[in-house]
Amino acid sequence: MNLTVNYIKERIGNFQPDTGIILGSGLGDFADEYNQISISYSEIPGFEKSQVQGHKGKLVFAEINGKKVIMMQGRYHFYEGYTMQTVTYPVKIMKRLGIKTLIITNAAGAVNKSFTPGNLMFITDHINFMGTNPLIGQNDDTLGTRFPDMSEVYSKLLISKAETAAKELNIPYQKGVYVATTGPSYETPAEINMYRTLGGDAVGMSTVPEAIVANYCGIKVLGISCLTNYAAGVTDNPLNHQEVIDTANRVKDNFKNLLLAVLKSI
Ligand code: HPA
């Protein structure tokens, strides 16, 4: 980890990040406008190359609305075959670089039938349906404790600030529980019915590993899902990745304005 941190510190000089943002599917463009310093994952010792279409795979550093931000343009997904260690390594590195807050974004399917594609959802809690946990293995006591509490993974204070920002900007939003699956196949209608019965409001293939590790390391987390589609079986339509990308693109401006307002208020 020292090799990674030292390499990044050498590249960013006296830039002292306080906030991290993980940009999800279709939301990566946000970083392009603030491209002050950027480093490809492939250049960073300890990082693996990211390969998914629509994910660029770089760290972008910028000062935005008074915050010193590290943005992850592209993330590692478990479904790509990466280990949970690889998926969550960047969070540990951001912790070492000094961030106090992490905004995690994703594209997700709406399980709750009263939600509409195009809405943003502030994550109030999650259900880990990935069948594993990123903290399995030897514990690094310098980062966190062996059995970390998870009763408030998503900061209530940050959610209330995000709500205030969304209201001021007239951006439609929901709040709810995010269910994480491994993917890469979308869910079946029976699975979606089960997730709804269990209390899930949205479903996706990311975020939970990073949120668990961030909470474990004492980083405050704000989770924002862009609801890109109805989950399987909510309508008769089949699901496809293009719809996910198209909806994320459609709400890009709302998303960007919300992020800017949240950065200002935290
Ligand atoms: N299911 C899982 N992941 C997703 C979905 C979905 O419906 N939409 C966007 N990511």
Side-chain angles (χ1 to χ4, degrees):
M1 217 165 345
N2 286 343
L3 200 64
T4 309
V5 171
N6 291 341
Y7 176 83
I8 294 172
K9 279 188 173 163
E10 227 168 75
R11 293 284 301 266
I12 64 179
N14 60 6
F15 185 93
Q16 284 274 339
D18 48 52
T19 307
I21 306 178
I22 302 177
L23 296 164
S25 297
L27 305 170
D29 287 4
F30 180 78
D32 288 334
E33 296 178 36
Y34 305 97
N35 216 336
Q36 290 168 8
I37 309 170
S38 83
I39 313 176
S40 292
Y41 296 166
S42 58
E43 298 174 76
I44 304 174
F47 271 53
E48 301 209 27
K49 288 179 193 175
S50 174
Q51 345 161 313
V52 170
Q53 190 197 352
H55 292 269
K56 290 181 178 147
K58 54 185 179 177
L59 290 183
V60 176
F61 298 81
E63 185 161 348
I64 307 173
N65 281 356
K67 295 292 175 308
K68 299 247 171 62
V69 182
I70 310 180
M71 286 168 277
M72 285 180 66
Q73 201 173 34
R75 57 148 61 86
Y76 298 103
H77 291 95
F78 192 55
Y79 63 72
E80 293 172 280
Y82 297 117
T83 62
M84 279 289 171
Q85 275 62 41
T86 298
V87 170
T88 56
Y89 186 69
V91 176
K92 296 175 188 168
I93 296 303
M94 289 192 277
K95 167 71 181 179
R96 292 269 191 249
L97 291 169
I99 69 161
K100 303 280 186 285
T101 305
L102 179 62
I103 303 174
I104 309 181
T105 72
N106 61 54
V111 171
N112 186 320
K113 292 179 183 172
S114 68
F115 294 180
T116 311
N119 285 172
L120 299 179
M121 185 186 90
F122 302 133
I123 302 176
T124 55
D125 205 347
H126 71 228
I127 298 175
N128 179 8
F129 241 100
M130 291 182 138
T132 184
N133 188 295
L135 301 176
I136 289 174
Q138 203 180 6
N139 188 53
D140 180 348
D141 294 329
T142 65
L143 280 173
T145 174
R146 174 77 287 190
F147 300 109
D149 172 57
M150 292 282 145
S151 45
E152 192 185 330
V153 177
Y154 304 90
S155 157
K156 291 194 172 108
L157 181 65
L158 290 176
I159 293 170
S160 84
K161 288 184 174 182
E163 284 192 83
T164 305
K167 282 179 194 146
E168 275 170 11
L169 293 165
N170 252 320
I171 293 173
Y173 71 91
Q174 309 288 350
K175 286 191 287 181
V177 172
Y178 177 92
V179 178
T181 68
T182 63
S185 53
Y186 288 116
E187 303 69 33
T188 64
E191 286 164 345
I192 294 301
N193 285 337
M194 174 181 73
Y195 295 145
R196 191 180 302 110
T197 304
L198 295 178
D201 295 297
V203 63
M205 305 173 192
S206 68
T207 300
V208 163
E210 297 105 312
I212 290 173
V213 169
N215 186 60
Y216 154 81
C217 314
I219 299 169
K220 297 255 174 284
V221 175
L222 175 65
I224 310 175
S225 292
C226 172
L227 302 175
T228 51
N229 56 282
Y230 282 116
V234 176
T235 72
D236 290 335
N237 299 337
L239 273 58
N240 67 76
H241 186 59
Q242 195 54 46
E243 181 187 4
V244 170
I245 298 295
D246 290 347
T247 311
N249 273 327
R250 183 158 60 77
V251 300
K252 208 158 55 182
D253 284 343
N254 275 355
F255 182 77
K256 178 183 146 191
N257 291 332
L258 181 82
L259 274 186
L260 289 175
V262 167
L263 285 174
K264 198 180 269 178
S265 72
I266 62 179

